Amino acid sequence: MSGIWQENFSSIAKNNRPSPIREMLALIKKPEMISFAGGMPAPEIFPVDKFYEGAHILKDDGQNLLQYGTTEGYPPLKEFLASWTAPRMGRKVSGQEMLITTGSQQALDLFAWSLLDEGDYVITEDPTYLAALTVFFNHGGKFLSVPMDRDGMQVELLPDIIRKARSEGKKVKFIYTIVNFQNPAGSTMSLERRKRLVEISKEFGIPIFEDDPYGYVRFDGEHLPSIFSFHDEGGVVYAGSFSKILSPGTRVGWITGPKEIIRNLTVFKQATDLCSSTITQALVAEYCMKGHLEAHLPVIIDNYRIKRDAMEKSFEKHLAPLGVTWVKPDGGFFYWLNFPGVDTNKLFERSVEKNVAFVPGGPFCPSQGTGIHNARLCYTFPSPETIEEGVRRLAEAVNELGIPAVH
Ligand SMILES: Cc1ncc(COP(=O)(O)O)c(C=O)c1O
């Protein structure tokens, strides 16, 4: 590349790091590959016809819908979301407490603009969503990580982590948590821990970013109230998304929180993309207001439950005898596997030779060195038959690496 660019790059650009997952997806894109790698919804259940039904709005109101919209978001969509999310949020939020974003990924970016200075610390789960780590990193963030178990972030460890960080002069700016069917760990934060997290937030004066793109994709058990609903001092923002409950191609998400922070995020959004696509927001709103969102959710949930069950069965058959362990997720997209004694980077290479792909655990882990024995597998995209074949090949790869069976 010509020096003219390198010489003029910002210091952030010089340090930026490509997403290992997105790079890998490009590499493994061949028809014979069984991919458990990307977190992709099943295209065969996209509600194409119902979404298309709303296209008449272009004829009815095209002169407005093809125009720029307000940065705050398309009011009918916000109104729908405020009502629809009220049970989870504990109340119906006002328009000033919500901002429509270009995917919830943008909510993460705007939030980092608002909160992070170079060298500030973010508390995250370990493992956590890779693209959140990248956003926070790009904004100068550093990480303090908290291990997970089947009930989510081990929040009882937080007070000591925070006190220690503060005694070392570290500035802890916020806690980032993916509460339901976590990406990548698959686990859900228990009710007790949600409440305890709010107490800790209040005690230490540290706000919370509650990221919840998977919360409505629940197969088993009852929905849990959001952390937002417990915080009576307004210390939580909650991000939601249409990506997993309608389509990621719409790029429509939202963030809910107290007016002051939403206003601050809105000002950053003014300079980021002016507004999210008006026509797309209107199409999404039309789809939702016609009742299709609610009607289609069971189709998504049933489809993914069948695939989750297929993967569970295949794991029992092929991987359990090899000592591999996992926690069965109650919803969402992912399994997080532990392969004792196996370097999952090596396993990845061997698996790709067999035309099966997953994501090795390392990149999800903010603490250096953890995740080396882990792997994330997504079950939503392949068919149940393909899942069985893919897991069989994966087990073959484990065996070929010469790992002694652990019993
Ligand atoms: C935990 C988490 N947060 C945020 C996002 C971003 O989603 P989107 O920008 O499509 O709404 C994802 C996407 O996979 C995710 O897993």
Side-chain angles (χ1 to χ4, degrees):
M1 191 184 7
S2 143
I4 195 170
W5 296 112
Q6 288 289 350
E7 283 157 23
N8 290 291
F9 269 165
S10 67
S11 42
I12 293 175
K14 282 181 191 138
N15 284 325
N16 80 359
R17 38 186 192 189
S19 154
I21 300 182
R22 298 225 139 246
E23 302 273 308
M24 184 192 299
L25 288 180
L27 280 181
I28 61 177
K29 219 176 161 90
K30 45 180 186 168
E32 56 283 21
M33 184 70 70
I34 297 178
S35 180
F36 301 132
M40 291 210 289
E44 71 272 18
I45 52 165
F46 283 149
V48 178
D49 292 341
K50 294 293 179 206
F51 197 71
Y52 185 68
E53 254 180 33
H56 65 87
I57 59 170
L58 200 51
K59 280 225 156 112
D60 304 345
D61 195 23
Q63 296 200 347
N64 283 321
L65 299 181
L66 294 178
Q67 191 53 279
Y68 287 113
T70 58
T71 306
E72 285 78 1
Y74 183 64
L77 180 61
K78 292 175 77 172
E79 177 57 29
F80 170 84
L81 279 172
S83 302
W84 190 65
T85 60
R88 184 166 295 241
M89 306 307 281
R91 66 186 171 85
K92 184 175 169 185
V93 297
S94 72
Q96 289 174 313
E97 293 174 294
M98 182 188 288
L99 170 67
I100 300 292
T101 54
T102 302
S104 58
Q105 189 64 30
Q106 186 180 49
L108 289 164
D109 189 51
L110 298 173
F111 191 74
W113 276 111
S114 285
L115 278 262
L116 288 181
D117 286 313
E118 180 73 36
D120 284 346
Y121 279 79
V122 181
I123 296 182
T124 70
E125 286 146 355
D126 184 3
T128 189
Y129 174 47
L130 178 60
L133 290 175
T134 310
V135 170
F136 302 151
F137 173 84
N138 284 346
H139 284 272
K142 296 186 164 175
F143 302 101
L144 295 167
S145 57
V146 190
M148 312 261 303
D149 60 25
R150 61 174 61 235
D151 291 324
M153 181 194 281
Q154 296 182 21
V155 300
E156 52 285 2
L157 301 176
L158 274 175
D160 282 351
I161 291 174
I162 297 168
R163 280 194 204 99
K164 179 165 179 292
R166 285 187 170 168
S167 74
E168 293 164 355
K170 293 174 177 160
K171 215 166 184 177
V172 181
K173 280 300 183 68
F174 63 92
I175 300 165
Y176 172 67
T177 177
I178 306 155
V179 274
N180 295 308
F181 327 122
Q182 204 249 18
N183 178 4
S187 53
T188 294
M189 190 183 287
S190 66
L191 194 58
E192 295 67 35
R193 282 192 176 161
R194 289 175 196 228
K195 291 181 181 163
R196 181 74 191 113
L197 186 57
V198 167
E199 283 168 18
I200 293 167
S201 157
K202 287 189 195 170
E203 185 186 337
F204 291 91
I206 301 176
I208 300 170
F209 189 111
E210 179 178 17
D211 196 7
D212 192 22
Y214 304 100
Y216 289 94
V217 188
R218 180 178 268 282
F219 317 138
D220 310 318
E222 296 290 311
H223 285 289
L224 295 176
S226 63
I227 296 174
F228 176 96
S229 69
F230 296 122
H231 208 306
D232 52 6
E233 293 172 11
V236 183
V237 294
Y238 172 100
S241 174
F242 283 98
S243 288
K244 316 296 192 260
I245 54 176
L246 168 55
S247 123
T250 60
R251 308 307 302 128
V252 180
W254 68 94
I255 181 161
T256 302
K259 280 188 240 167
E260 323 68 286
I261 176 70
I262 294 299
R263 172 72 190 146
N264 203 279
L265 301 176
T266 307
V267 174
F268 277 113
K269 184 171 164 71
Q270 289 169 353
T272 301
D273 64 354
L274 311 180
C275 63
S276 294
S277 157
T278 321
I279 177 68
T280 314
Q281 290 181 73
L283 285 167
V284 171
E286 183 68 15
Y287 174 86
C288 293
M289 291 181 314
K290 284 269 149 60
H292 298 321
L293 182 73
E294 206 55 47
H296 190 63
L297 258 178
V299 176
I300 297 175
I301 290 168
D302 287 349
N303 184 288
Y304 296 168
R305 187 195 287 108
I306 289 168
K307 291 173 176 172
R308 188 267 325 251
D309 289 346
M311 195 168 252
E312 178 79 21
K313 212 169 131 204
S314 302
F315 285 172
E316 290 290 352
K317 183 166 155 199
H318 301 291
L319 294 178
L322 302 175
V324 179
T325 58
W326 61 89
V327 173
K328 185 176 177 183
D330 291 330
F333 278 42
F334 306 112
Y335 269 99
W336 180 246
L337 299 177
N338 182 34
F339 294 82
V342 180
D343 175 343
T344 47
N345 292 305
K346 294 211 173 80
L347 181 62
F348 174 75
E349 285 167 18
R350 184 56 68 106
S351 302
V352 166
E353 285 167 19
K354 297 182 172 298
N355 285 326
V356 60
F358 61 85
V359 190
F364 299 104
C365 297
S367 305
Q368 290 291 324
T370 53
I372 183 89
H373 301 308
N374 295 107
R376 188 193 76 176
L377 273 70
C378 173
Y379 46 78
T380 52
F381 189 77
S383 68
E385 300 72 39
T386 315
I387 288 173
E388 162 63 15
E389 174 56 18
V391 174
R392 192 195 62 73
R393 290 185 203 173
L394 181 61
E396 218 174 71
V398 177
N399 271 321
E400 282 178 19
L401 282 182
I403 306 308
V406 184
H407 291 289

